[in-house]
Amino acid sequence: MHADELPPDADAPASVAVRVLCAFAAKTGDLDLRFTPSPSAQEGVAGHTTVTARRAAGYQREVPLSARCGELRVQGRADGFDPATPRLEEIKTHRGDATRIPDNHRELHWAQARVYGWMLCEQLGLERIELALVYFNIDTGVETVLPAWHTAVALKAFFEALCARYAGWARAERAHRTARDAALQALRFPFDGFRPGQRELAAAVYRAHGAGRHLMAQAPTGIGKTMATLFAALRAAPAQGTHKCFYLTAKTPGRQLALHALQRMRVQPLRVLELVARDKACEHPDKACHGDACPLARGFYDRLPQAREAAAQAGWLDKASLRAVALRHEVCPYYLGQDMLRWSDVVVGDFNHFFDLSAHAWALTVGDELRVGVLVDEAHNLIERARLMYSAELHPANFQALRKSAPAPLKKTMDRLHRQWSALARLHTHEPTVLPELPGAFVEALQRHHVDLLDHLALEPQGDGAAELQGWLFEVQRFLRVAEVFDDHSLVDLTPPLRASGRTRHPVLSIRNLDPGPLLQPRWQAAHSATLFSATLSPMAYVSDLLGLPPDTATLDVPSPFDPAQLQVRVTPRLSTRYADRADSLDQLVEVMAAQYAQRPGNYLAFFSSFDYLQQALQRLQALHPALPVWAQSRGMAEHEREAFVARFTEEGQGIGFAVLGGAFGEGIDLPGNRLIGAFIATLGLPQFNPLNEQLRARLQARYGQGYDYTYLYPGLQKVVQAAGRVIRGPTDEGVVVLMDDRFARSEVRRLLPRWWRIQGATD
């Protein structure tokens, strides 16, 4: 039972974990994130195991404890207890110098120890007990022990004071949960009826969440997937005792669609929180996150209770609303949002908030043993995004620039790391090289350098070059964190070193995840139910394998509501866009485009596999048909440039917009009616043939027996279907898709395209 869960008996005490109670009632002072990164959960568990294994016989580990205080039941597990002393230990893992752990962090740790201390005194009838904070440095294995004796009387008074601060909030949360569940039980679909296919999708989501199963749902664009999934998951929540629902998206427009759907449902008193990236929420990006630098960090925890109360009362906490509450109470908007994550009912955010290595939503779910529902929008994007989440690179240019002016305390470990990097360069100098395993000596040197970096930045946070060293620190931390989970689902490789001034430069060292499934499995296990939905989840076995979904995951393929007569799909059977044929087929390709445009003028999108190919086709079309209006995507377009590109597609407009397949305009843009009447798609979108993708093909062949399809064919055709999906957006739209490559006529390719398409020119 948890503090935000309504017990079956309304008169029973609300239950709260020791960690939650102390975080709520015992934190004071500044927000302080000065170079004291927490070890990962895996490192923390290993550190606790190391410390407790050093203790003498009779030492008790993970001692379950609970105590009642009025209407609260407080419970948790003490790290360790030596009954002979008697001594209770609160073990904390850390990096760097223990003396530099901020005072307010240390006070929070003491608060947890005192609460556990009182529980033991009450349970065993002790009049006094020794409490000890044990700080264990995971890099050096050194313990820093801070012992102190406490009387049971003093511990009881401390415990009751904390509970008194929390009790009012617990009562309000209980009332909120009761009202929220009543509102969700009475929730009605916010429109007069369902769109075709929408009811089927909503029913499947409702059944999956009711049964605690995961679901993969492929449903065409335009049926209202966002509303259907949110409505069904929320409607199922009360009966399942669901604490919260995470709606996760790949891109910002997906978040906005979810927030709009939640507004349409008008569920009171549902608490909705939008999570945004830290750099997009920061009010003072030029300042560090601590009280000496940022006014919103100074006294953060002293003002947090009032800000939290105001945020809870507001209920609707999108980016703008959360910012308004935070600034009104002079606290950091980002970290107010992180606090409200625990107290919100629906959380809308990016994939990384639940699936990344350091995901806060994931840590909260596991740490508080929450029952959560997860909705994954445009789930086909999660494969590549997850690969990036579990990959990392070290760039030698950053390191070499810092090494030239390195402070004295860093020289020794930087020189050692330089030698290890040079050894890699000498061994692998001619071509991209996949290493058989992580280079152990290099990683060890990097770990020692990491410790020195932490200590130096803690001592000299504003010293010369501190900003550059901090950037390098984050790069090192990222690499080490990914290295911890390295296994046969990933590979480590070196790019060829460049030569300058006769000297060999260090190679870029990369850990690349190939199969994210094994790393995502714990995330699916932690979720009560997860629904993954997209217009392109075919073949579902491919998506399920690479995302590590459980074998009993349900599947749904919603038929298209569109009439095949709405979309003319045509294959050019004698046109090859293979790399070797592109130069010779350019004239034929642009003539196909020009002929279609002449037959039916209007707005078209033309998709190409790369910017180079795009430019070649664009220049040839302009040379042969200079009067035809065109505009093109360019590399690294800013947001306003992307908006200007889309703005060219007006109801009365005419012309062809050139874009890259799988890029910003291949999905997630909505151009209904005459804003877009057709699309040209050149190539099958197959990923580039290179040594890395060949390694991926070999690994996936060994794992799943379909290396080529999983590496090249399926990802490419998903991009094709997404791009073609821009054309028909509603029941009255009509348009054309021209598939410009003879391979689209093959049966093994056609079977991967939407079943409702009637493809012309596709004969074997």
Side-chain angles (χ1 to χ4, degrees), residues 107 161 163 216-217 245 306 347 418 443 517 523 544 574 577 594 598 763:
E107 283 303 311
C163 290
M216 293 176 60
C245 176
Q306 291 75 29
V347 178
H418 168 72
V443 173
R523 313 296 164 124
S544 181
R574 288 175 294 279
T577 60
T763 57

Side-chain angles (χ1 to χ4, degrees), residues 633-654:
Q633 179 182 359
S634 60
R635 286 185 173 90
M637 290 178 84
E639 186 170 353
H640 72 276
E641 293 174 312
R642 293 196 298 269
E643 291 173 352
F645 181 94
V646 173
R648 292 285 298 268
F649 294 87
T650 64
E651 282 288 330
E652 296 78 24
Q654 293 185 349

